Amino acid sequence: MRMKKGMLALEEPVKQIGAIKRRKESKKLYVDFYYFGRRITRSTELNDTPANERKVRAFLDKVMQRIEDGTFKFAEAFPGATEEEKEFFTQLEGREYRPEPHQVLFGEYVKEWMATIFPTFGSPTKRRDYREAIETRILPAFRNMTFHQITGMAVFRFTESLVWKKGIHKGKPLSTARKSNILIPFRSIWNDACDHYRWVIKSPFDNLRKRLPKTEKKEHTVIRFADWLTFLDNLEEHYRPIAELMILTGMIPSELGGLRKDDIEGDYLNVRNSYVLGVEKKSLKTAFRKRQITITEAIRKRLDHLTTRPGSPYLCTMADGSRFNSSRFCKVWKKAVDQAGIPYVTSYSARHSFAAWSLIIGVNPLRLVKLMGHASKQMVYEVYGNYVEGLEEDAENIFRYFGRDFVIPGKSKSPIPFRDSTGDSFANNPLTFRDC
């Protein structure tokens, strides 16, 4: 474009030659030019001095010359640009964008990963745990490192630095299990980057597990029957039928939150949905968790109590009438445990106790697999099948609590272990405990 001034036709300073810019809020110099019709403005991180201005001018002259020659590569000239920008301009240049590990900043890739891959995770619990680990642990340590700089030793030093940030354990090292959980999204990001850029490089996570100290897996405590009754006496009345439904069925809090009153169909309770972190989930933990639970007399009593509560289509609610919330319920549970003075048990212990109690009174393990929504009896034996000292002493009480129709569906007689030579021991020797 030309401007006329007297008899001269002067070339107007056009966009293509590039310009050095300054901003009021910054003391740095900026480059400003157009590339493929798009304006590129970038900070040079150089202070506004005459010497630095000459350096920037020389850089811009080279850029303009390479653009004219068709040899300019945006990704090489601006390594700090976003991956999206690098890929966009590289494609316009007619090349395939395949940066090397030393050219990709971990923090920049994570931005793209969080926008594209992270939302595909269906589980709200998984998204919550991943986001917390990424934003509070991983990014602060690796944001400004390239993938080339993330070595096995760098990751190991990172795991060694992980400590509790608050609470009574503040400053103390995290457990190996917690460290491993933090590394899960880290490893996922790494693997996705390698797949995206088709890198064939050694993973920094190889052999890392061997370096971490081994810790024994914490087992959930099985509740003894007398402790269960003491716990119920100390639990807020509103939640007693809910807690009893848990131990009578093996359901977990998220499954209870998904139950509607119309999930009760005749003699069956249908477990179809779950409610996790305020999100209704149509899919459960596994396909086997969708199941029908036969309603025994003991279960029916609790359901009758819950269905008569007005104001909600959901079977289980909080004391204030709001939808059942597993996190709030766990606090109510802990308060009752503390007041009862029994060995510490979590709400998930009710599921483990359901399994152990069922096995001790003779329920077929294969049937128990179906009741709990597992794929095979291996899970029942490995996770729930540990011997509990003294639990056999509770067998009769547990049998009465669950009911004959639970142990032997459709039959009224007691199983062999609970019969004596004169007949039904329960009929002859009634026990005194909570009406079930």
Side-chain angles (χ1 to χ4, degrees):
M1 181 177 180
R2 296 176 179 274
M3 292 192 313
K4 291 184 178 180
K5 186 176 181 181
M7 299 299 295
L8 299 177
L10 301 178
E11 290 288 342
E12 180 185 0
V14 293
K15 301 171 183 176
Q16 286 76 10
I17 67 172
I20 300 173
K21 297 286 187 178
R22 295 165 176 82
R23 292 182 176 177
K24 293 181 179 180
E25 71 277 7
S26 175
K27 296 181 180 179
K28 305 297 181 180
L29 294 172
Y30 290 77
V31 294
D32 184 89
F33 64 97
Y34 278 75
Y35 188 44
F36 285 107
R38 292 184 175 254
R39 187 175 186 178
I40 309 296
T41 304
R42 289 289 185 279
S43 171
T44 65
E45 297 301 322
L46 295 175
N47 290 328
D48 185 3
T49 66
N52 285 337
E53 185 175 359
R54 287 192 294 272
K55 289 181 182 179
V56 175
R57 183 71 261 171
F59 168 79
L60 269 175
D61 289 343
K62 289 181 180 179
V63 168
M64 295 303 107
Q65 183 61 50
R66 289 174 181 172
I67 290 176
E68 186 177 344
D69 295 341
T71 60
F72 179 68
K73 296 180 180 180
F74 179 87
E76 291 182 1
F78 299 98
T82 66
E83 295 304 304
E84 185 180 4
E85 287 178 309
K86 293 176 185 177
E87 186 171 6
F88 174 79
F89 284 110
T90 301
Q91 289 176 350
L92 290 177
E93 292 163 358
R95 288 186 288 272
E96 182 182 10
Y97 180 58
R98 289 189 61 185
E100 296 301 319
H102 68 275
Q103 296 174 312
V104 181
L105 282 174
F106 182 79
E108 287 300 324
Y109 178 77
V110 169
K111 288 181 183 178
E112 179 182 350
W113 188 88
M114 292 293 289
T116 56
I117 297 178
F118 179 77
T120 65
F121 297 140
S123 168
T125 305
K126 183 176 183 177
R127 291 199 300 270
R128 177 200 63 187
D129 293 344
Y130 271 37
R131 184 182 295 278
E132 180 183 3
I134 292 168
E135 293 181 352
T136 67
R137 301 285 189 173
I138 301 169
L139 274 179
F142 295 95
R143 175 182 281 108
N144 296 320
M145 294 176 66
T146 66
F147 279 84
H148 177 73
Q149 293 172 308
I150 302 176
T151 62
M153 185 54 66
V155 174
F156 175 69
R157 286 196 295 265
F158 166 69
T159 60
E160 289 294 282
S161 70
L162 293 173
V163 297
W164 288 91
K165 292 186 174 182
K166 56 184 179 181
I168 60 175
H169 300 298
K170 184 177 180 179
K172 294 182 180 179
L174 295 181
S175 67
T176 299
R178 180 74 181 108
K179 290 178 180 180
S180 297
N181 287 338
I182 291 173
L183 292 177
I184 290 174
F186 196 174
R187 186 184 290 107
S188 179
I189 293 170
W190 175 275
N191 291 338
D192 287 335
C194 290
D195 181 66
H196 180 70
Y197 296 120
R198 284 177 278 179
W199 292 333
V200 181
I201 55 178
K202 181 177 175 58
S203 170
F205 305 98
D206 290 348
N207 303 318
L208 181 62
R209 187 176 295 276
K210 295 179 181 179
R211 297 182 179 181
L212 297 176
K214 294 182 179 180
T215 55
E216 294 184 5
K217 188 174 181 179
K218 186 177 180 181
E219 296 181 357
H220 287 274
T221 304
V222 172
I223 308 171
R224 292 293 302 273
F225 189 76
D227 289 339
W228 175 248
L229 298 185
T230 304
F231 164 76
L232 290 177
D233 286 337
N234 286 273
L235 184 64
E236 292 180 36
E237 184 177 355
H238 177 87
Y239 298 103
R240 288 175 192 169
I242 297 175
E244 291 192 280
L245 189 61
M246 291 175 66
I247 209 163
L248 288 168
T249 62
M251 285 192 291
I252 58 177
S254 60
E255 292 173 339
L256 292 175
L259 286 176
R260 295 174 179 268
K261 292 176 181 178
D262 58 14
D263 285 326
I264 302 172
E265 297 178 352
D267 293 331
Y268 297 98
L269 176 62
N270 296 293
V271 183
R272 300 185 177 106
N273 308 314
S274 65
Y275 186 65
V276 184
L277 298 176
V279 177
E280 182 96 34
K281 297 178 63 177
K282 297 295 183 182
S283 60
L284 300 178
K285 188 174 182 180
T286 67
F288 299 97
R289 285 293 182 92
K290 280 196 174 184
R291 59 200 188 277
Q292 274 193 333
I293 297 174
T294 301
I295 299 176
T296 63
E297 288 185 20
I299 294 174
R300 179 73 68 183
K301 289 181 180 180
R302 279 70 184 183
L303 292 178
D304 287 346
H305 190 86
L306 293 171
T307 53
T308 57
R309 292 177 175 174
S312 175
Y314 299 103
L315 191 64
C316 301
T317 61
M318 301 305 292
D320 59 8
S322 60
R323 189 164 182 182
F324 187 78
N325 182 292
S326 57
S327 297
R328 290 174 60 192
F329 175 70
C330 287
K331 294 179 181 178
V332 174
W333 179 288
K334 184 180 183 303
K335 179 181 177 182
V337 170
D338 292 341
Q339 291 179 177
I342 63 174
Y344 181 70
V345 289
T346 66
S347 59
Y348 205 87
S349 297
R351 179 171 172 82
H352 284 252
S353 299
F354 167 76
W357 287 14
S358 298
L359 291 172
I360 205 69
I361 59 177
V363 172
N364 189 305
L366 293 178
R367 179 171 166 242
L368 183 58
V369 167
K370 186 175 181 180
L371 289 172
M372 300 191 72
H374 284 306
S376 70
K377 64 180 180 181
Q378 180 181 359
M379 186 71 171
V380 170
Y381 283 125
E382 290 184 357
V383 179
Y384 310 109
N386 294 332
Y387 174 74
V388 179
E389 186 70 36
L391 191 61
E392 64 272 12
E393 299 172 9
D394 300 341
E396 279 198 54
N397 287 327
I398 293 171
F399 182 87
R400 291 285 295 274
Y401 187 73
F402 275 31
R404 294 181 180 84
D405 55 347
F406 171 74
V407 181
I408 309 178
K411 295 185 178 181
S412 60
K413 293 183 179 180
S414 304
I416 295 298
F418 302 117
R419 290 177 61 89
D420 56 27
S421 59
T422 61
D424 190 339
S425 62
F426 288 140
N428 298 327
N429 301 295
L431 298 170
T432 301
F433 63 95
R434 179 181 304 277
D435 176 28
C436 62

